[in-house]
Short mmCIF file of all heavy atoms in Angstrom, two decimals:
data_model
loop_
_atom_site.label_atom_id
_atom_site.label_comp_id
_atom_site.label_asym_id
_atom_site.label_seq_id
_atom_site.Cartn_x
_atom_site.Cartn_y
_atom_site.Cartn_z
N ARG A 1175 -76.89 81.12 -69.31
CA ARG A 1175 -76.79 80.95 -70.75
C ARG A 1175 -75.93 82.06 -71.35
O ARG A 1175 -75.80 83.15 -70.78
CB ARG A 1175 -78.18 80.94 -71.41
CG ARG A 1175 -78.93 82.27 -71.34
CD ARG A 1175 -80.34 82.10 -71.88
NE ARG A 1175 -81.08 83.37 -71.85
CZ ARG A 1175 -82.36 83.48 -72.16
NH1 ARG A 1175 -83.07 82.40 -72.52
NH2 ARG A 1175 -82.96 84.66 -72.13
N GLN A 1176 -75.37 81.76 -72.51
CA GLN A 1176 -74.55 82.73 -73.21
C GLN A 1176 -74.85 82.66 -74.69
O GLN A 1176 -74.62 81.62 -75.33
CB GLN A 1176 -73.07 82.50 -72.95
CG GLN A 1176 -72.19 83.60 -73.52
CD GLN A 1176 -70.77 83.51 -72.99
OE1 GLN A 1176 -70.32 82.49 -72.52
NE2 GLN A 1176 -70.05 84.64 -73.04
N ALA A 1177 -75.35 83.76 -75.22
CA ALA A 1177 -75.63 83.86 -76.65
C ALA A 1177 -74.39 84.40 -77.35
O ALA A 1177 -73.54 85.06 -76.73
CB ALA A 1177 -76.82 84.79 -76.88
N PRO A 1178 -74.26 84.16 -78.65
CA PRO A 1178 -73.08 84.64 -79.39
C PRO A 1178 -72.92 86.15 -79.26
O PRO A 1178 -73.88 86.90 -79.44
CB PRO A 1178 -73.39 84.24 -80.83
CG PRO A 1178 -74.31 83.08 -80.71
CD PRO A 1178 -75.14 83.35 -79.50
N GLY A 1179 -71.72 86.57 -78.90
CA GLY A 1179 -71.43 87.99 -78.80
C GLY A 1179 -71.97 88.66 -77.55
O GLY A 1179 -71.86 89.88 -77.41
N LYS A 1180 -72.55 87.87 -76.65
CA LYS A 1180 -73.11 88.44 -75.43
C LYS A 1180 -72.46 87.83 -74.20
O LYS A 1180 -71.85 86.76 -74.27
CB LYS A 1180 -74.62 88.22 -75.39
CG LYS A 1180 -75.39 88.94 -76.48
CD LYS A 1180 -76.88 88.82 -76.27
CE LYS A 1180 -77.65 89.60 -77.32
NZ LYS A 1180 -79.12 89.50 -77.11
N GLU A 1181 -72.61 88.50 -73.07
CA GLU A 1181 -72.08 87.97 -71.83
C GLU A 1181 -73.00 86.87 -71.30
O GLU A 1181 -74.18 86.81 -71.62
CB GLU A 1181 -71.97 89.09 -70.79
CG GLU A 1181 -70.93 90.14 -71.14
CD GLU A 1181 -70.72 91.14 -70.02
OE1 GLU A 1181 -71.49 91.10 -69.04
OE2 GLU A 1181 -69.78 91.95 -70.12
N ARG A 1182 -72.41 86.02 -70.48
CA ARG A 1182 -73.20 84.98 -69.86
C ARG A 1182 -74.22 85.61 -68.92
O ARG A 1182 -73.89 86.53 -68.17
CB ARG A 1182 -72.27 84.01 -69.11
CG ARG A 1182 -72.95 82.79 -68.56
CD ARG A 1182 -71.96 81.70 -68.25
NE ARG A 1182 -70.88 82.12 -67.36
CZ ARG A 1182 -69.80 81.40 -67.11
NH1 ARG A 1182 -69.67 80.21 -67.68
NH2 ARG A 1182 -68.89 81.84 -66.29
N GLU A 1183 -75.45 85.09 -68.93
CA GLU A 1183 -76.49 85.67 -68.11
C GLU A 1183 -77.21 84.61 -67.29
O GLU A 1183 -77.32 83.44 -67.69
CB GLU A 1183 -77.51 86.42 -68.97
CG GLU A 1183 -78.31 85.57 -69.92
CD GLU A 1183 -79.41 86.36 -70.62
OE1 GLU A 1183 -79.55 87.57 -70.39
OE2 GLU A 1183 -80.14 85.73 -71.42
N PHE A 1184 -77.71 85.04 -66.16
CA PHE A 1184 -78.45 84.18 -65.25
C PHE A 1184 -79.79 83.80 -65.85
O PHE A 1184 -80.46 84.63 -66.47
CB PHE A 1184 -78.65 84.92 -63.93
CG PHE A 1184 -79.61 84.25 -62.98
CD1 PHE A 1184 -79.19 83.17 -62.22
CD2 PHE A 1184 -80.91 84.70 -62.86
CE1 PHE A 1184 -80.06 82.56 -61.34
CE2 PHE A 1184 -81.79 84.09 -61.99
CZ PHE A 1184 -81.37 83.02 -61.23
N VAL A 1185 -80.18 82.55 -65.65
CA VAL A 1185 -81.48 82.08 -66.12
C VAL A 1185 -82.38 81.69 -64.94
O VAL A 1185 -83.49 82.18 -64.80
CB VAL A 1185 -81.33 80.87 -67.07
CG1 VAL A 1185 -82.69 80.31 -67.46
CG2 VAL A 1185 -80.54 81.26 -68.31
N ALA A 1186 -81.87 80.78 -64.10
CA ALA A 1186 -82.68 80.30 -62.98
C ALA A 1186 -81.79 79.69 -61.91
O ALA A 1186 -80.70 79.20 -62.23
CB ALA A 1186 -83.70 79.27 -63.46
N ALA A 1187 -82.26 79.70 -60.67
CA ALA A 1187 -81.53 79.08 -59.57
C ALA A 1187 -82.52 78.37 -58.66
O ALA A 1187 -83.70 78.73 -58.60
CB ALA A 1187 -80.75 80.12 -58.78
N ILE A 1188 -82.01 77.36 -57.96
CA ILE A 1188 -82.85 76.57 -57.06
C ILE A 1188 -82.08 76.27 -55.79
O ILE A 1188 -80.89 75.99 -55.83
CB ILE A 1188 -83.32 75.27 -57.78
CG1 ILE A 1188 -84.35 74.52 -56.94
CG2 ILE A 1188 -82.14 74.39 -58.15
CD1 ILE A 1188 -85.04 73.40 -57.73
N SER A 1189 -82.78 76.32 -54.67
CA SER A 1189 -82.14 76.02 -53.38
C SER A 1189 -81.89 74.53 -53.26
O SER A 1189 -82.39 73.72 -54.03
CB SER A 1189 -83.05 76.50 -52.25
OG SER A 1189 -84.28 75.78 -52.27
N TRP A 1190 -81.13 74.16 -52.23
CA TRP A 1190 -80.75 72.76 -52.07
C TRP A 1190 -81.97 71.87 -51.89
O TRP A 1190 -81.97 70.73 -52.34
CB TRP A 1190 -79.81 72.60 -50.88
CG TRP A 1190 -80.47 72.79 -49.55
CD1 TRP A 1190 -80.61 73.97 -48.86
CD2 TRP A 1190 -81.12 71.79 -48.75
NE1 TRP A 1190 -81.30 73.76 -47.70
CE2 TRP A 1190 -81.62 72.43 -47.61
CE3 TRP A 1190 -81.31 70.42 -48.90
CZ2 TRP A 1190 -82.30 71.75 -46.62
CZ3 TRP A 1190 -81.99 69.72 -47.92
CH2 TRP A 1190 -82.47 70.39 -46.79
N SER A 1191 -83.01 72.39 -51.25
CA SER A 1191 -84.20 71.59 -51.00
C SER A 1191 -85.17 71.60 -52.18
O SER A 1191 -86.06 70.76 -52.25
CB SER A 1191 -84.93 72.12 -49.77
OG SER A 1191 -85.43 73.42 -50.02
N GLY A 1192 -85.00 72.56 -53.06
CA GLY A 1192 -85.94 72.71 -54.16
C GLY A 1192 -87.13 73.59 -53.82
O GLY A 1192 -87.97 73.87 -54.67
N ASP A 1193 -87.20 74.05 -52.59
CA ASP A 1193 -88.34 74.84 -52.15
C ASP A 1193 -88.29 76.27 -52.67
O ASP A 1193 -89.33 76.91 -52.86
CB ASP A 1193 -88.42 74.87 -50.63
CG ASP A 1193 -88.80 73.52 -50.05
OD1 ASP A 1193 -89.37 72.70 -50.79
OD2 ASP A 1193 -88.51 73.28 -48.86
N ASP A 1194 -87.09 76.79 -52.86
CA ASP A 1194 -86.93 78.17 -53.32
C ASP A 1194 -86.36 78.19 -54.72
O ASP A 1194 -85.39 77.48 -55.01
CB ASP A 1194 -86.01 78.94 -52.38
CG ASP A 1194 -86.62 79.09 -50.99
OD1 ASP A 1194 -87.82 79.39 -50.90
OD2 ASP A 1194 -85.89 78.88 -50.01
N LYS A 1195 -86.96 79.01 -55.58
CA LYS A 1195 -86.51 79.14 -56.96
C LYS A 1195 -86.52 80.62 -57.34
O LYS A 1195 -87.31 81.41 -56.81
CB LYS A 1195 -87.43 78.36 -57.90
CG LYS A 1195 -87.54 76.88 -57.56
CD LYS A 1195 -88.54 76.17 -58.44
CE LYS A 1195 -88.69 74.71 -58.01
NZ LYS A 1195 -89.68 73.99 -58.87
N HIS A 1196 -85.65 80.96 -58.24
CA HIS A 1196 -85.57 82.34 -58.71
C HIS A 1196 -85.29 82.32 -60.21
O HIS A 1196 -84.48 81.51 -60.68
CB HIS A 1196 -84.47 83.09 -57.98
CG HIS A 1196 -84.34 84.51 -58.40
ND1 HIS A 1196 -85.36 85.42 -58.28
CD2 HIS A 1196 -83.29 85.19 -58.96
CE1 HIS A 1196 -84.96 86.59 -58.74
NE2 HIS A 1196 -83.71 86.47 -59.15
N TYR A 1197 -86.00 83.18 -60.95
CA TYR A 1197 -85.87 83.19 -62.40
C TYR A 1197 -85.54 84.59 -62.91
O TYR A 1197 -85.95 85.59 -62.32
CB TYR A 1197 -87.18 82.75 -63.05
CG TYR A 1197 -87.60 81.34 -62.72
CD1 TYR A 1197 -88.45 81.07 -61.65
CD2 TYR A 1197 -87.13 80.27 -63.47
CE1 TYR A 1197 -88.84 79.77 -61.34
CE2 TYR A 1197 -87.52 78.96 -63.18
CZ TYR A 1197 -88.36 78.73 -62.11
OH TYR A 1197 -88.73 77.43 -61.80
N ALA A 1198 -84.84 84.62 -64.02
CA ALA A 1198 -84.67 85.89 -64.73
C ALA A 1198 -86.03 86.31 -65.28
O ALA A 1198 -86.85 85.46 -65.65
CB ALA A 1198 -83.66 85.72 -65.86
N ASP A 1199 -86.26 87.60 -65.35
CA ASP A 1199 -87.55 88.09 -65.84
C ASP A 1199 -87.85 87.58 -67.26
O ASP A 1199 -89.00 87.33 -67.61
CB ASP A 1199 -87.57 89.62 -65.83
CG ASP A 1199 -87.65 90.19 -64.43
OD1 ASP A 1199 -88.04 89.44 -63.49
OD2 ASP A 1199 -87.34 91.37 -64.26
N SER A 1200 -86.81 87.43 -68.05
CA SER A 1200 -86.98 87.04 -69.46
C SER A 1200 -87.51 85.62 -69.62
O SER A 1200 -88.01 85.27 -70.70
CB SER A 1200 -85.66 87.19 -70.20
OG SER A 1200 -84.66 86.39 -69.61
N VAL A 1201 -87.38 84.79 -68.59
CA VAL A 1201 -87.82 83.39 -68.72
C VAL A 1201 -88.93 83.02 -67.74
O VAL A 1201 -89.45 81.91 -67.79
CB VAL A 1201 -86.64 82.41 -68.53
CG1 VAL A 1201 -85.50 82.76 -69.46
CG2 VAL A 1201 -86.16 82.38 -67.07
N LYS A 1202 -89.28 83.95 -66.89
CA LYS A 1202 -90.31 83.69 -65.88
C LYS A 1202 -91.60 83.27 -66.56
O LYS A 1202 -91.99 83.83 -67.58
CB LYS A 1202 -90.52 84.93 -65.03
CG LYS A 1202 -91.14 84.69 -63.67
CD LYS A 1202 -91.11 85.96 -62.84
CE LYS A 1202 -89.70 86.37 -62.50
NZ LYS A 1202 -89.65 87.56 -61.62
N ASP A 1203 -92.25 82.28 -66.00
CA ASP A 1203 -93.52 81.73 -66.51
C ASP A 1203 -93.35 80.87 -67.76
O ASP A 1203 -94.33 80.32 -68.26
CB ASP A 1203 -94.55 82.85 -66.80
CG ASP A 1203 -94.91 83.65 -65.56
OD1 ASP A 1203 -94.95 83.06 -64.47
OD2 ASP A 1203 -95.13 84.87 -65.71
N ARG A 1204 -92.13 80.74 -68.25
CA ARG A 1204 -91.88 79.86 -69.39
C ARG A 1204 -90.94 78.72 -69.02
O ARG A 1204 -91.07 77.61 -69.55
CB ARG A 1204 -91.28 80.65 -70.57
CG ARG A 1204 -92.17 81.74 -71.10
CD ARG A 1204 -91.59 82.33 -72.40
NE ARG A 1204 -90.28 82.94 -72.20
CZ ARG A 1204 -89.18 82.58 -72.87
NH1 ARG A 1204 -89.24 81.62 -73.76
NH2 ARG A 1204 -88.04 83.21 -72.65
N PHE A 1205 -89.98 78.98 -68.15
CA PHE A 1205 -88.98 77.99 -67.76
C PHE A 1205 -89.25 77.54 -66.32
O PHE A 1205 -89.71 78.32 -65.48
CB PHE A 1205 -87.57 78.58 -67.83
CG PHE A 1205 -87.07 78.85 -69.21
CD1 PHE A 1205 -87.89 78.81 -70.33
CD2 PHE A 1205 -85.73 79.19 -69.40
CE1 PHE A 1205 -87.40 79.07 -71.61
CE2 PHE A 1205 -85.22 79.45 -70.66
CZ PHE A 1205 -86.06 79.40 -71.76
N THR A 1206 -88.90 76.29 -66.04
CA THR A 1206 -89.02 75.75 -64.69
C THR A 1206 -87.76 74.98 -64.33
O THR A 1206 -87.37 74.06 -65.05
CB THR A 1206 -90.23 74.82 -64.57
OG1 THR A 1206 -91.43 75.53 -64.92
CG2 THR A 1206 -90.36 74.30 -63.14
N ILE A 1207 -87.15 75.36 -63.22
CA ILE A 1207 -85.97 74.65 -62.73
C ILE A 1207 -86.42 73.67 -61.66
O ILE A 1207 -87.33 73.94 -60.87
CB ILE A 1207 -84.92 75.64 -62.17
CG1 ILE A 1207 -83.60 74.91 -61.86
CG2 ILE A 1207 -85.44 76.41 -60.97
CD1 ILE A 1207 -82.46 75.86 -61.51
#
């Protein structure tokens, strides 16, 4: 994601199988990929 005036930042990633996921601390427990 990229907010106005800010650099683009990582939010979440998922492996090809969907078994592995990784979240930014700012969205952990609120967002699901």
